[in-house]
Amino acid sequence: MSPAAGTAGFREVRLPELPSVPRLLAQAAATAARERITGGARPDGLPAVRHTVADVQVDLEQLTRFQHLVGGTVRDTLPSAFLHTAAFPVAMSVLARGDFPLPLPGLVHLANRVSQRRPVHFIEPLAFSAWVENLRGHHAGTRVDVRTEVSAAGGTVWEGRSEYLAKGVFRPGLDSTERPPREDFRPPVPTARWWLGPEAGRDYAAVSGDFNPIHLSTLSARLLGMKRSIAHGMYLAARVLADLEAAAGGSHEWEIRFAAPVYLPAAVALRIEDLAGNGHWTGSRFTGWGEHSRRLHFTGTVSALA
Amino acid sequence: MATAPQSQPIRDAVVIGGNRIPFARANSAYTGASNQDMLTAALDGLVARFGLQDERIGEVAAGAVLKHSRDFNLTREAVLGSALSPETPVYDLQQACATGLETVIGLANKIKLGQIESAVAGGVDSASDAPIAVSEGLRTVLLELGRARSTKQKLAALARLRPRDLAPHAPSTAEPRTGLSMGEHQALTTAAWKITREAQDELALASHANLAAAYGRGFFDDLITPYRGQLRDGNLRPDTSLEKLAKLQPVFGKSLGEEATMTAGNSTPLTDGASAVLLGSEDYARRNDLPMLARVVDAEAAAVDFVHGREGLLMAPAYAVPRLLERNGLSLPDFDFVEIHEAFAGTVLCHLAAWESEEFCRNKLGLDSPLGSVDRNRLNVAGSSLAAGHPFAATGGRIVATLAKLLHEQAGAEGRRGRGLISICAAGGQGVAAILEAC
């Protein structure tokens, strides 16, 4: 996953500062609305650009609120999910580009894969970069990977790949994949339960800056075609990671794959278990599901970096 | 010229006796009595029983699980309000439901080392007078207001207040890291060990029958002092039966469907109460013409990882007991009495099943063969928490005093020094075990 290999030939767009997510969302919504009226066409391919922001300083108060909200410990090192959140505006700025082929409003988060190479102290100035790749078909629309990198002191410390789906958008030249057979989900024995109130989305938006309306209220979510607001995928991941951060230490990798969205309010049942049964931590597997609906919400793993 | 203190060989610490107030179901007889009030009552009863009026005890240690922040010096305040000498030093201790037993262990160790001659170990809890806290939102705003200097800053802090922040927060028995209550955790463990509803109800019935019989023969006459009109444990149902217990609906593990087996009958209720145990060196007991019931032989604590699905929340004593037995070269049949705290009937039965399981003993304990079985005729013979109730930190003192007296009675009747084992599970995946031996 070296940056040079993935983005050779990409044009670097240096942003003067972290962009504002609400402004990007508003801009993307305006573009999408304009296109609906004018029928303006988007390009078929992905923009070969890499957006970067240098010298970002973490806001200590925001870090504290993030750590508390996800049930973690207030430490001086940055939670892996916090780095995702901190770099998120840069990733958004790529998705909000006029030449990005998919409409940003309504993009659905399918999965994340993150590799954190070393502990990052809050005092370190960080550089974020983001680009998109791997536009491909999906049985329900079109998929794309958003890649994000965090570097400090000249070296990459964190790499993330987020998979998004534009539901109902089918681009020419991309094969629609077969819908995989739905697997029967039998809930395992839980190890925890989270009560997520209707405010869970607003609370996470406040510490993460991700003010996507689908997370904020029933009303704003309905405007985007959801029946109620849903929890942020990264909030769910961050809560699991908070349970495992002490075991995982500063260098680890994790992935999460989302199934049914968590409509708020919700009782989410969780199981965390060791990957290996020898009593020494090498990694954990986790599963989240609706305590009452018994529908699978997410699965994933956290493991020590090889 | 001052001489260096001689290092002393370790000596015995003995249980001299105990006193508790009857345990009352929450929101009954002790409504309005605080932890400090009840602990003081238990101490004063102990003072009266053993003539400790105005005596400077070596050290008193006690604690509560549900504790007001104003009770930062709970035990010291109770001692100052008691008939003990105000010059008695004190410390507070908190180890969830193992608090009471741990105070006995810590103080017995000080006696063994010659640091003190006498000690009072205790514990108290009130579910009726539980501390209620403000929400995190309101607390943050109030702290911010305290830091604010200008009116503008104060208004900015107040503007952060949301209506939902005004709801008070009462303590719950939910584990902070899992959000599952203790009963829900145990329900999962009970189902995993395939413990039946009938087996749990039988254990609950035995607890009530044994406690009622112990009252019947006057066993508690010198262990309990009435308080606020409560003469005996308010949860005791001498006339309960398997039929009555079978009629109760499951309250925990309902998401388990058919497998939900835990009812209000085979789980402990929220309870108010306090207990105290008098400990001393043999020399102290002889000098003061006090009885010596049992020696505190040894103890072991254990903890399990329930957050990451490795073990059930309340299973730590299943690990503490085998380590304790190995260090002392003992096995389960070497004990005349076994006291396993009945947080839930399922907890006791899961422990018994684990120690009988070859797989558990091999894979989890590293033993070549099962630890063995506990003779049910030696288990909780004077009743336990299902019948008596369970004011969290007071349970250890109840069990130590009960077991010490049982051992003393047996020694008197049979002329031999019997042994007793104590096992107590605690929140946070902890457990403490101890061995007493008749004097």
Side-chain angles (χ1 to χ4, degrees):
Chain A
M1 292 228 287
S2 97
T7 58
F10 275 37
R11 183 166 59 87
E12 184 175 336
V13 177
R14 292 186 187 202
L15 309 177
E17 58 181 2
L18 277 179
S20 141
V21 171
R23 196 173 304 154
L24 290 170
L25 283 166
Q27 188 185 316
T31 308
R34 197 164 52 241
E35 282 169 351
R36 273 203 295 277
I37 298 164
T38 63
R42 293 207 173 211
D44 291 340
L46 293 171
V49 291
R50 184 182 163 98
H51 285 199
T52 60
V53 176
D55 282 326
V56 178
Q57 203 65 58
V58 164
D59 180 315
L60 194 55
E61 195 191 336
Q62 189 197 359
L63 171 66
T64 305
R65 285 191 286 130
F66 182 96
Q67 288 165 325
H68 273 157
L69 184 73
V70 303
T73 300
V74 172
R75 299 177 200 274
D76 282 355
T77 47
L78 307 179
S80 194
F82 181 82
L83 282 166
H84 170 96
T85 294
F88 184 67
V90 185
M92 281 284 281
S93 71
V94 179
L95 304 182
R97 287 174 63 97
D99 58 357
F100 179 67
L102 305 171
L104 173 58
L107 274 187
V108 179
H109 197 172
L110 292 181
N112 281 92
R113 194 187 184 93
V114 165
S115 148
Q116 170 140 11
R117 301 211 181 142
R118 67 160 172 87
V120 181
H121 196 280
F122 76 85
I123 212 153
E124 296 183 73
L126 304 175
F128 300 143
S129 65
W131 67 98
V132 286
E133 63 182 26
N134 210 6
L135 190 70
R136 60 202 188 280
H138 181 271
H139 65 85
T142 303
R143 259 186 299 183
V144 67
D145 287 347
V146 180
R147 297 285 303 274
T148 312
E149 268 184 16
V150 180
S151 44
T156 304
V157 292
W158 186 101
E159 296 166 84
R161 178 194 294 270
S162 304
E163 192 182 329
Y164 285 93
L165 167 70
K167 253 186 163 169
V169 177
F170 295 92
R171 307 295 304 180
L174 296 179
D175 292 335
S176 171
T177 56
E178 288 267 312
R179 171 188 276 274
R182 187 166 290 204
E183 283 176 38
D184 274 347
F185 171 66
R186 281 179 58 90
V189 174
T191 56
R193 175 205 298 121
W194 304 333
W195 290 110
L196 308 185
E199 72 288 349
R202 288 190 294 278
D203 287 349
Y204 189 73
V207 301
S208 69
D210 182 354
F211 287 96
N212 190 328
I214 60 173
H215 302 304
L216 301 183
S217 67
T218 301
L219 186 65
S220 60
R222 278 198 185 137
L223 290 174
L224 291 169
M226 317 285 283
K227 61 179 180 184
R228 287 203 306 278
S229 62
I230 62 171
H232 292 76
M234 194 48 56
Y235 169 69
L236 305 172
R239 283 198 65 161
V240 177
L241 290 164
D243 275 335
L244 290 164
E245 65 182 3
S251 61
H252 57 272
E253 53 192 355
W254 56 273
E255 59 181 324
I256 186 167
R257 184 152 285 282
F258 298 101
V262 175
Y263 287 102
L264 299 171
V268 175
L270 176 75
R271 175 166 183 80
I272 298 180
E273 60 195 332
D274 289 348
L275 280 173
N278 60 6
H280 297 285
W281 194 85
T282 53
S284 295
R285 178 186 305 116
F286 57 86
T287 309
W289 66 97
E291 186 175 58
H292 306 297
S293 71
R294 300 168 79 82
R295 291 184 72 191
L296 180 66
H297 290 316
F298 57 83
T299 56
T301 58
V302 182
S303 43
L305 210 52
Chain B
M1 195 178 82
T3 52
Q6 295 277 308
S7 83
Q8 304 244 344
I10 289 180
R11 57 182 183 171
D12 281 341
V14 299
V15 178
I16 293 168
N19 180 64
R20 64 180 178 95
I21 57 174
F23 293 169
R25 288 173 70 98
N27 303 311
S28 66
Y30 302 160
T31 303
S34 68
N35 276 337
Q36 187 182 317
D37 296 329
M38 291 193 290
L39 183 58
T40 309
L43 289 172
D44 276 343
L46 193 75
V47 168
R49 182 156 298 138
F50 295 102
L52 306 174
Q53 189 79 23
D54 207 29
E55 180 172 326
R56 177 161 66 86
I57 296 290
E59 201 155 31
V60 177
V65 175
L66 299 177
K67 203 167 171 183
H68 284 274
S69 55
R70 65 165 187 250
D71 283 339
F72 61 92
N73 234 342
L74 170 68
T75 311
R76 176 65 182 147
E77 293 301 327
V79 165
L80 282 173
S82 78
L84 290 172
S85 160
E87 289 167 6
T88 298
V90 154
Y91 65 92
D92 268 40
L93 189 145
Q94 199 167 31
Q95 197 184 27
C97 303
T99 301
L101 181 56
E102 186 59 31
T103 58
V104 170
I105 295 164
L107 292 168
N109 286 345
K110 286 196 176 197
I111 291 170
K112 289 184 189 189
L113 288 173
Q115 294 169 345
I116 50 176
E117 289 298 318
S118 61
V120 175
V124 58
D125 255 292
S126 169
S128 310
D129 191 43
I132 288 183
V134 298
S135 71
E136 273 302 290
L138 179 54
R139 202 175 65 89
T140 307
V141 167
L142 292 172
L143 289 169
E144 198 92 335
L145 269 178
R147 284 187 286 265
R149 294 185 180 273
S150 68
T151 309
K152 193 181 162 200
Q153 285 173 329
K154 285 178 185 167
L155 287 174
L158 278 173
R160 285 183 158 188
L161 200 61
R162 298 284 170 269
R164 65 171 152 118
D165 293 336
L166 298 176
H169 283 209
S172 77
T173 57
E175 279 292 327
R177 283 177 195 276
T178 66
L180 297 173
S181 72
M182 203 170 268
E184 289 171 316
H185 268 291
Q186 182 58 49
L188 298 170
T189 313
T190 303
W193 281 99
K194 299 187 166 50
I195 306 297
T196 65
R197 166 77 184 265
E198 291 69 31
Q200 294 172 63
D201 286 351
E202 279 165 19
L203 193 87
L205 182 67
S207 188
H208 284 279
N210 289 346
L211 186 69
Y215 271 108
R217 66 187 178 90
F219 180 79
F220 291 113
D221 288 355
D222 59 356
L223 290 176
I224 291 180
T225 308
Y227 183 57
R228 312 300 285 176
Q230 187 84 32
L231 302 178
R232 52 162 67 184
D233 300 318
N235 190 56
L236 174 61
R237 299 282 176 275
D239 56 345
T240 194
S241 64
L242 279 180
E243 292 70 35
K244 283 181 185 169
L245 288 165
K247 281 185 190 143
L248 300 170
Q249 290 297 316
V251 289
F252 298 115
K254 283 186 278 192
S255 65
L256 296 166
E258 296 284 301
E259 291 176 86
T261 54
M262 290 173 47
T263 67
N266 57 41
S267 309
T268 47
L270 289 173
T271 320
D272 305 337
S275 66
V277 176
L278 180 60
L279 304 164
S281 65
E282 290 178 300
D283 186 42
Y284 169 83
R286 283 197 196 98
R287 266 190 290 116
N288 292 283
D289 200 19
L290 292 169
M292 290 186 277
L293 305 184
R295 297 189 300 120
V296 181
V297 177
D298 197 5
E300 174 84 11
V304 295
D305 182 356
F306 61 98
V307 180
H308 305 118
R310 289 182 186 163
E311 188 49 89
L313 175 71
L314 300 180
M315 291 301 282
Y319 297 77
V321 166
R323 300 201 302 236
L324 181 62
L325 296 193
E326 188 183 3
R327 183 164 62 235
N328 288 275
L330 295 170
S331 59
L332 290 172
D334 294 326
F335 292 91
D336 302 86
F337 301 102
V338 177
E339 290 284 335
I340 305 179
H341 159 51
E342 297 166 340
F344 304 91
T347 315
V348 179
L349 295 167
C350 285
H351 277 75
L352 300 185
W355 292 332
E356 288 174 4
S357 157
E358 193 172 341
E359 192 193 343
F360 177 88
C361 291
R362 189 180 56 235
N363 296 342
K364 299 285 184 86
L365 303 179
L367 300 179
D368 297 332
S369 56
L371 190 70
S373 300
V374 171
D375 181 346
R376 293 297 187 91
N377 294 321
R378 302 178 179 190
L379 177 67
N380 300 344
V381 299
S384 187
S385 304
L386 285 170
H390 172 41
F392 311 121
T395 288
R398 173 187 68 75
I399 293 177
V400 168
T402 298
L403 176 61
K405 185 171 173 186
L406 286 168
L407 287 165
H408 186 64
E409 273 187 342
Q410 188 200 42
E414 299 174 23
R416 64 187 188 87
R417 291 187 1 174
R419 273 189 214 93
L421 176 67
I422 299 174
S423 158
I424 296 183
C425 59
Q430 300 218 80
V432 179
I435 297 173
L436 302 188
E437 192 177 85
C439 286

